[in-house]
Amino acid sequence: SAAAPIRFLERDGDGASRALICTFSSEGCPPIRSAVDLHRYDDFVPEVLPGLQKPLRGKESAVCHHMCLQRDVVSALVQHVEAAHGGAPLWAVFRDAARACGGRASEYELYHAFARRHFSHRVVPRQLAFAVVGSLEEA
């Protein structure tokens, strides 16, 4: 039987689009990876945007192989970041935050935390099974 396609954008009854954001949690994460992957970027998010935190700090990661970004969410994120850093461009803030965090930087975690806080009415978190495999056949 064919697997159902994964939908990342939904439209609700009034036509507004909502993003399905994929996350991994400590539930179902293999011990070999969970201790690192779930908290690796916890400090990066507030470094880029003071006051912003990952929704489930240390317990969930939004880092995955793909993410659908919504243009207006990205534009709002850029505006917030640049305003919080005296007009410095996002790329420079991102670079400096990555350096301050020892190279631990994640656009996935930043976008996820921002969208969950400022566009929560349009975000539908979706837990994915977490697996580390050596080949597609093992998945």
Side-chain angles (χ1 to χ4, degrees), residues 38-39 41-43 46 53-60:
L38 298 178
H39 68 80
Y41 307 110
D42 285 358
D43 296 332
Q53 295 285 335
K54 287 174 47 180
L56 295 172
R57 192 173 160 86
K59 296 180 182 177
E60 178 182 70

Side-chain angles (χ1 to χ4, degrees), residues 19-38:
L20 294 176
I21 296 183
C22 301
T23 61
F24 299 103
S25 72
S26 54
E27 305 297 321
C29 235
I32 192 169
R33 297 288 306 262
S34 62
V36 174
D37 291 335
L38 298 178

